Amino acid sequence: MSKETINKDILRGGQFLVKETKCDDVFTPEDFSEEQRMMRDSAKEFVDRELWAHWERFESKDYEYTEACMKKAGELGLLGVAVPEAYDGLGMGFVSTMLVCDYISGATGSFSTAFGAHTGIGTMPISLYGNEEQKKKYVSKLATGEWMGAYCLTEPGAGSDANSGKTKAVLSDDGKHYLISGQKMWISNAGFCNVMIVFARIEDDKNITGFIVENDPSNGISMADEEKKLGIHSSSTRQVFFSNTKVPIENMLSERGNGFKIAMNALNVGRIKLAAACLDAQRRVIGEATKYANERIQFKTPIMNFGAIKSKIAEMATNTYADESASYRAAKNIEDRIAIRQAEGNTHQEAELKGVEEYAIECSILKVAVSEDVQSCTDEGVQIFGGMGFSADTPMESAWRDARISRIYEGTNEINRMLAVGMLVKKAMKGHVDLLGPAMKVADELTGIPSFDTPDYSVLLSEEKEILAKLKKVFLMVAGSAVQKFGPQLEEHQQLLMAASDILIEIYMAESAILRTEKNAKRFGEEAQETQIAMSQLYLYNAVDIAIKKGKEAIVSFAEGDEQQMMLMGLKRFTKYVNQPNVVALRIKIADKIAKENGYFLG
């Protein structure tokens, strides 16, 4: 573990809400090492050559081409970035695995899905939960792309409620095999996988169990035709049927009844990796939209000169900047937590599982925020292209369709919104995050007399950081009162949870952008960060608007009379600027920079 990691004040998951994060303690894309930049360039070169140049093939349901590209990625080592070197992987840290996932996923959702399913839920459960014999037998083949992986969890009656699956595993009479029978659906890579992680229930166990199952059609495994889908056309997606499929008892993954835990931990990693997989898609859409807007002449001028187009481009770039900032901030936190656990004597498997689990709140936040931003980005991309954007002859139309699945993958955004707040409350009850103390201080502040002093905002982003601190008070005010009122029944009030979650999400995303900008302004100079400062200010402005709307919605849903009026006054106080930003000027500044660079200029 490096001295840098030891010296940093690494916050635990969820503590960003109640503890100050210093800008020097966050990792940003500008902190990539030379090796990481080389990996990024290698991934981009592969994508430009093999994927982006042939995007039409992915739209024509060319599953064989998707498989061929996966094999090429394996030959380049891109499938084994997270796999330890002992099993023919590169053994890279969590940030590097995020980086490769980011830059390899932007050209087409079809390949992105195949890559994510294989490297994440197809390989990771064996790498992290498998015994030595299982890892030697399967992980090397998966890391090199010799074999392809899939993950069989979802069933017709078991989607978000993953533990309710009906697939059965019955021990054979001779005690040497489990016989698996059942139906799985929405299985990515099903059409060309060699091995599957299959979840089934043994007898009447409370929890499901995981198994490693080789794809052998002669062993009671059959598949339906490829699903007809809105997007990700060349991602192989099939139903898989098991009929007394014989699985050796030594292919049980981890322990009996541990499948639900495996599935949930796989989702935590999948959520932050999904956020990464939506980043370069936004950069590429911004690039295509900017080039088109610079070249498209209407009323004798490029449409990029129109304020309406500038507004769209600025918002697209601003969201992307915040998404990058938050994704790599969380990735480095996870990497550092893994290093700390390994230094404390944990195995690689234990350290990685616990390291990711520690930041499950941030993983859910990122999954929601970035998946919704990529949908918004592609939608605006279609709009900027106008009629051509609606045409299947341009990549904008397919980008819009491919983006839609990201709000459903890895737990729907509705589930993840409620999970983020629910997990935070549970952490508070365990004493891992002190919410009660800060919430009580906010409650006392509501009844106190506000300060009328004129603050000094001469330091860069000082007012923005104060606004952020006040937004945290908004969340603590709403969530604290809600927990006090409803207690354990809070989870039944889903609309309230979702409103509170939106505030929590915006706090983390806005803070990440501001901290990145502050850190880089200190080392590169404010002038060099002029556009990034504008993006940070614009994102925060939008975050404040969301906090006002969602805070009001939450407050009136459970508070009445004097309590309601006091909280609404608090909401107004905590969302008030001293120096109201000129958002129109901010958007123009951002858009002009994007136009000059003819695309997103970072990364």
Side-chain angles (χ1 to χ4, degrees):
M1 186 167 57
S2 67
K3 289 182 180 179
E4 180 190 1
T5 300
I6 295 170
N7 294 334
K8 277 200 311 188
D9 182 16
I10 303 171
L11 300 186
R12 298 193 66 168
Q15 285 187 333
F16 71 89
L17 187 68
V18 293
K19 289 191 174 184
E20 182 184 0
T21 303
K22 296 173 182 162
C23 70
D24 292 333
D25 290 338
V26 298
F27 183 87
T28 80
E30 291 74 25
D31 293 312
F32 289 152
S33 66
E34 184 62 32
E35 182 181 41
Q36 286 169 333
R37 287 193 289 271
M38 288 173 64
M39 290 176 66
R40 177 192 62 191
D41 293 344
S42 178
K44 286 171 70 173
E45 182 184 347
F46 169 77
V47 170
D48 288 338
R49 183 181 68 247
E50 304 292 348
L51 309 182
W52 189 249
H54 304 286
W55 66 269
E56 301 98 330
R57 297 187 69 170
F58 293 101
E59 291 313 297
S60 61
K61 301 183 180 180
D62 192 340
Y63 304 107
E64 290 182 359
Y65 190 65
T66 300
E67 182 182 4
C69 289
M70 284 289 290
K71 295 287 187 184
K72 289 179 181 178
E75 292 167 5
L76 291 172
L78 296 171
L79 300 183
V81 177
V83 173
E85 292 180 70
Y87 310 107
D88 293 323
L90 299 180
M92 305 299 290
F94 200 83
V95 171
S96 295
T97 68
M98 281 280 286
L99 182 150
V100 171
C101 183
D102 171 356
Y103 284 93
I104 209 168
S105 300
T108 164
S110 295
F111 184 85
S112 176
T113 298
F115 178 87
H118 174 85
T119 58
I121 51 182
T123 302
M124 186 183 58
I126 309 176
S127 179
L128 296 184
Y129 284 96
N131 57 40
E132 191 61 26
E133 186 178 336
Q134 290 169 343
K135 287 188 286 187
K136 284 181 178 177
K137 185 175 181 180
Y138 295 107
V139 174
S140 292
K141 291 180 179 179
L142 292 166
T144 59
E146 179 184 347
W147 276 23
M148 292 292 147
Y151 181 85
C152 299
L153 175 64
T154 304
E155 299 183 14
S160 296
D161 186 7
N163 201 39
S164 63
K166 292 181 169 46
T167 296
K168 288 289 185 182
V170 178
L171 190 63
S172 62
D173 292 339
D174 61 9
K176 294 182 179 179
H177 296 84
Y178 278 98
L179 303 176
I180 294 181
S181 296
Q183 175 185 359
K184 300 292 183 178
M185 65 188 303
W186 308 123
I187 308 307
S188 296
N189 295 354
F192 54 78
C193 71
N194 304 94
V195 64
M196 298 174 275
I197 310 298
V198 180
F199 295 89
R201 194 177 309 279
I202 301 172
E203 297 175 347
D204 294 320
D205 288 358
K206 178 183 177 182
N207 292 324
I208 53 180
T209 297
F211 296 89
I212 304 170
V213 181
E214 295 185 22
N215 183 13
D216 179 2
S218 68
N219 187 22
I221 300 175
S222 60
M223 297 187 186
D225 292 338
E226 292 284 355
E227 297 285 355
K228 297 178 176 66
K229 308 183 295 291
L230 172 69
I232 55 171
H233 281 169
S234 287
S235 165
S236 176
T237 313
R238 293 186 175 188
Q239 291 189 58
V240 183
F241 303 91
F242 301 93
S243 179
N244 289 321
T245 300
K246 292 175 68 175
V247 182
I249 58 170
E250 57 266 27
N251 274 29
M252 179 185 287
L253 190 58
S254 186
E255 302 169 0
R256 177 171 172 170
N258 213 27
F260 185 62
K261 185 177 181 180
I262 295 171
M264 292 303 99
N265 281 328
L267 284 174
N268 284 334
V269 180
R271 284 163 184 155
I272 189 170
K273 291 289 181 69
L274 182 86
C278 293
L279 294 176
D280 201 48
Q282 292 182 80
R283 298 187 199 103
R284 286 178 182 269
V285 166
I286 293 167
E288 292 300 305
T290 303
K291 290 170 191 169
Y292 185 82
N294 276 334
E295 295 168 4
R296 174 69 167 165
I297 305 297
Q298 290 291 280
F299 306 104
K300 299 181 180 179
T301 187
I303 64 172
M304 179 56 93
N305 292 335
F306 299 141
I309 300 297
K310 288 186 178 187
S311 175
K312 293 180 187 301
I313 292 288
E315 295 286 352
M316 292 155 73
T318 293
N319 288 341
T320 303
Y321 181 73
D323 293 345
E324 289 175 338
S325 306
S327 295
Y328 286 104
R329 172 191 183 183
K332 185 64 165 122
N333 282 341
I334 290 171
E335 182 171 291
D336 287 344
R337 185 61 62 181
I338 291 169
I340 289 170
R341 284 193 164 272
Q342 286 181 311
E344 292 172 347
N346 285 181
T347 65
H348 164 76
Q349 292 165 288
E350 292 169 334
E352 186 143 335
L353 284 168
K354 291 296 183 182
V356 175
E357 189 178 357
E358 176 66 54
Y359 296 95
I361 294 166
E362 287 81 354
C363 290
S364 282
I365 286 172
L366 286 164
K367 192 276 176 182
V368 173
V370 188
S371 68
E372 293 184 358
D373 284 343
V374 74
Q375 184 78 74
S376 173
C377 183
T378 56
D379 191 69
E380 292 288 41
V382 170
Q383 195 70 12
I384 291 168
F385 268 66
M388 287 304 296
F390 202 71
S391 169
D393 289 333
T394 67
M396 207 56 68
E397 177 261 358
S398 60
W400 181 84
R401 286 186 290 98
D402 284 355
R404 185 60 184 85
I405 188 61
S406 59
R407 287 158 58 195
I408 300 170
Y409 275 160
E410 312 297 351
T412 66
N413 283 11
E414 291 72 25
I415 289 287
N416 274 286
R417 277 183 162 88
M418 290 183 284
L419 272 175
V421 177
M423 289 187 290
L424 183 61
V425 171
K426 286 179 182 176
K427 270 183 169 274
M429 289 178 175
K430 290 179 181 178
H432 294 173
V433 180
D434 178 19
L435 288 185
L436 183 60
M440 290 178 67
K441 286 182 181 178
V442 174
D444 291 341
E445 189 175 343
L446 288 176
T447 58
I449 300 172
S451 171
F452 295 101
D453 294 339
T454 302
D456 177 12
Y457 292 136
S458 57
V459 176
L460 176 68
L461 297 173
S462 53
E463 181 169 12
E464 286 74 17
K465 291 176 77 173
E466 186 170 308
I467 290 283
L468 262 175
K470 291 193 289 187
L471 287 185
K472 293 178 183 183
K473 292 179 182 180
V474 171
F475 178 84
L476 291 166
M477 175 180 69
V478 169
S481 298
V483 169
Q484 192 173 21
K485 187 175 185 69
F486 298 116
Q489 282 72 48
L490 179 61
E491 63 184 26
E492 298 172 11
H493 299 267
Q494 292 191 351
Q495 293 189 57
L496 170 57
L497 280 172
M498 290 177 69
S501 181
D502 280 344
I503 300 169
L504 182 68
I505 289 167
E506 293 306 318
I507 289 168
Y508 188 71
M509 303 304 288
E511 182 176 71
S512 299
I514 288 168
L515 291 173
R516 176 186 180 182
T517 302
E518 183 186 12
K519 180 177 184 178
N520 289 329
K522 283 173 65 175
R523 58 181 168 180
F524 303 132
E526 290 184 24
E527 189 176 339
Q529 299 294 299
E530 188 178 16
T531 309
Q532 290 90 321
I533 292 168
M535 290 192 286
S536 300
Q537 292 170 332
L538 177 58
Y539 193 94
L540 181 64
Y541 175 87
N542 292 334
V544 169
D545 266 4
I546 291 169
I548 292 170
K549 179 182 178 183
K550 295 298 180 176
K552 190 175 182 180
E553 180 183 317
I555 290 165
V556 299
S557 75
F558 68 84
E560 297 178 343
D562 290 344
E563 180 191 21
Q564 184 188 100
Q565 287 304 309
M566 182 175 66
M567 291 179 73
L568 289 173
M569 287 175 64
L571 176 64
K572 187 174 182 180
R573 186 198 307 180
F574 295 148
T575 54
K576 184 179 180 182
Y577 278 91
V578 174
N579 302 298
Q580 190 71 31
N582 181 343
V583 292
V584 173
L586 291 177
R587 291 191 192 115
I588 290 171
K589 179 178 288 188
I590 297 162
D592 285 350
K593 173 68 172 178
I594 301 291
K596 182 180 178 182
E597 300 290 338
N598 210 24
Y600 188 74
F601 62 99
L602 300 167

